[in-house]
Amino acid sequence: MSVDYEAAARELTDARESGKPCPPLRGRLLPEGDVTSAYLVQQLQVREWLRRGHRRIGAKIGLTSRAVQESFGVYQPDFGVLTEEMAVPDGVEVPLDRLLQPRVEAEIAFVLGTDLPDERITTADLTRAVDHLLPAIEIVDSRIAGWDISIVDTVADNASSGLFVLGTTPHRLADVDLRLAGMVLEHAGEPVSVGAGAACLGNPLHALAWLAQTLARSGDPLRAGDVVLSGALGPMVPVTPGAAYEARISGLGSVRTCFTKDGDQ
């Protein structure tokens, strides 16, 4: 089949701006399983955001759960771009009309203190590069109707990115056992998702290593100051209008987000 990168990017942009999801891209505008083409579509959208004055501030990693990878038939994570416009302050209410089909998941965020330009990277390089950690809630979203996504759809759609919320108290990497860091995500005081660092490629630091190597190989490496959302520590949860969610991660504290009710601005 012929590949129409610009048409795919245009459909995703129209869905984002209109609030009306589009049909899946796979098998229609992009070939099934063609992840390379999907990243090209992602890049077209990112270039347009930057042209409009958005500021790139980092990246997010997805598909870090082995079970989720197997459901997509892939055996590596994916990534998307974070911009300043996606950041929401801790505890601030999020208007639902900014999103289409939001879900929330708790993650560990890395904030880098130095560049990571070399694809041959060691654990020592990573630990030196990380300035601090923060608890995070990623508000994932999909421009694809009904979350009917494959690896091609989600990569083209900037790894199903939406918004993100960071906690406000930084922690040193040396002070946290990332693999064993337990997570509880609560709604109305009840746990709705639980997990631990080991759910993220065995250790969130492994996810950071994968991203650093992948981006260095592409010639667009991670830079000092970048925020990296390293991947979900537990199952993502559909957002209930008017609800508040709080994530607590061992050694990192908590982070909170809440949403308007349907129709509220």
Side-chain angles (χ1 to χ4, degrees):
M1 64 174 290
S2 61
V3 182
D4 197 333
Y5 307 108
E6 293 193 356
R10 189 162 54 247
E11 284 203 16
L12 292 168
T13 297
D14 288 348
R16 189 184 300 272
E17 294 178 350
S18 70
K20 297 178 180 178
C22 64
L25 305 175
R26 64 186 186 279
R28 190 169 60 87
L29 297 174
L30 299 175
E32 296 271 4
D34 188 350
V35 177
T36 298
S37 291
Y39 275 116
L40 290 174
V41 173
Q42 180 188 124
Q43 290 165 14
L44 284 174
Q45 295 169 88
V46 171
R47 283 202 292 269
E48 176 60 18
W49 300 339
L50 298 180
R51 188 191 68 78
R52 295 182 184 185
H54 294 200
R55 186 168 70 93
R56 184 173 183 167
I57 60 171
K60 61 152 290 183
I61 309 170
L63 299 180
T64 53
S65 160
R66 296 301 185 195
V68 174
Q69 287 182 4
E70 289 172 6
S71 72
F72 280 113
V74 297
Y75 298 96
Q76 66 175 27
D78 68 354
F79 68 87
V81 170
L82 298 179
T83 68
E84 187 175 31
E85 291 71 19
M86 297 175 185
V88 177
D90 187 9
V92 171
E93 189 173 61
V94 177
L96 273 179
D97 60 8
R98 291 189 65 183
L99 302 154
L100 280 72
Q101 309 172 94
R103 301 179 179 185
V104 290
E105 57 188 29
E107 308 193 11
I108 293 172
F110 295 97
V111 181
L112 301 184
T114 60
D115 297 352
L116 287 170
D118 193 342
E119 66 178 280
R120 298 179 63 185
I121 192 167
T122 67
T123 299
D125 295 327
L126 286 177
T127 56
R128 282 194 297 267
V130 173
D131 184 77
H132 61 273
L133 310 174
L134 293 168
I137 293 176
E138 184 181 1
I139 305 169
V140 291
D141 201 8
S142 180
R143 271 53 63 176
I144 306 298
W147 277 90
D148 180 8
I149 59 173
S150 70
I151 180 66
V152 168
D153 298 299
T154 189
V155 166
D157 191 21
N158 197 35
S160 300
S161 63
L163 307 172
F164 68 96
V165 187
L166 300 179
T168 56
T169 303
H171 296 267
R172 296 193 317 140
L173 178 59
D175 294 337
V176 181
D177 187 332
L178 292 179
R179 189 179 69 84
L180 297 180
M183 178 280 295
V184 177
L185 178 65
E186 292 184 347
H187 166 219
E190 295 295 327
V192 291
S193 179
V194 297
C200 180
L201 290 187
N203 187 316
L205 202 63
H206 297 166
L208 178 62
W210 173 84
L211 181 66
Q213 291 167 337
T214 299
L215 293 183
R217 195 176 302 121
S218 75
D220 188 20
L222 291 169
R223 303 292 187 188
D226 278 352
V227 175
V228 177
L229 301 181
S230 58
L233 304 183
M236 62 181 177
V237 177
V239 166
T240 299
Y245 298 87
E246 183 172 7
R248 294 196 304 275
I249 302 174
S250 300
L252 293 179
S254 64
V255 59
R256 184 177 180 274
T257 192
C258 57
F259 296 87
T260 59
K261 297 179 180 178
D262 284 326
D264 290 351
Q265 298 298 316

